[in-house]
């Protein structure tokens, strides 16, 4: 069974930094796109950042210049470095990955989420 496990959430003051990590475990062929979503209280889930297997990145306008996504294909990990955090960044952050179970079969997997709280 393929799983994504996030870590690194917590409480930080506005202007501070946090680093979220996510590792994929289980048996699979490879991982295509990976990304981070977030869901603030009472709001819909939104894409924060994504990264292709070759390293191409995309960011939500609200986090451009503050957040950086990266991955290590050898370790099956994706990381989100969050700087200059704002109270509006507070949310549950979810790791997301397109897992290639077989060469011709993919499955989208999401982690259990990690809480990020930003105090003003």
């Amino acid at each position: 069974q393929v799983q994504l496990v996030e870590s690194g959430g917590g409480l930080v003051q506005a202007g501070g930094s946090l680093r979220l990590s996510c590792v994929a475990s289980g048996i699979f062929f490879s991982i295509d796109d990976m990304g981070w979503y977030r869901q603030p209280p009472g709001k819909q889930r939104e894409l924060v950042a994504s990264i292709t297997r070759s390293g191409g990145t995309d960011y939500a306008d609200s986090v451009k210049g503050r957040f950086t996504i990266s991955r290590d294909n050898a370790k099956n990990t994706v990381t989100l470095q969050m700087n200059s955090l704002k109270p509006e960044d507070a949310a549950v952050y979810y790791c997301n990955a397109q897992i290639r179970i077989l060469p011709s079969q993919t499955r989208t997997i999401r982690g259990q989420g990690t809480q990020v709280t930003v105090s003003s």
Side-chain angles (χ1 to χ4, degrees):
Q1 183 177 355
V2 181
Q3 295 184 77
L4 297 176
V5 178
E6 301 106 333
S7 61
L11 172 64
V12 65
Q13 287 187 333
S17 298
L18 280 176
R19 186 179 180 88
L20 305 183
S21 295
C22 172
V23 59
S25 64
I27 298 174
F28 50 87
F29 186 73
S30 63
I31 304 176
D32 292 351
D33 292 355
M34 303 185 81
W36 290 92
Y37 287 76
R38 68 185 180 187
Q39 186 165 20
K43 297 183 178 181
Q44 289 189 330
R45 190 162 53 100
E46 61 178 354
L47 178 64
V48 176
S50 63
I51 184 167
T52 66
R53 182 169 180 80
S54 60
T57 59
D58 193 24
Y59 296 92
D61 288 342
S62 59
V63 307
K64 283 181 180 177
R66 300 187 297 121
F67 291 12
T68 303
I69 189 171
S70 60
R71 65 187 286 173
D72 185 329
N73 292 331
K75 296 181 179 180
N76 297 319
T77 60
V78 62
T79 299
L80 185 68
Q81 177 66 42
M82 306 186 293
N83 299 326
S84 302
L85 282 160
K86 304 176 181 180
E88 52 263 41
D89 293 319
V92 178
Y93 282 71
Y94 298 91
C95 175
N96 197 82
Q98 292 179 329
I99 305 293
R100 191 161 291 275
I101 305 299
L102 296 172
S104 61
Q105 181 181 349
T106 60
R107 183 179 303 166
T108 299
I109 305 293
R110 190 177 75 185
Q112 81 286 354
T114 185
Q115 178 71 50
V116 171
T117 303
V118 184
S119 63
S120 57

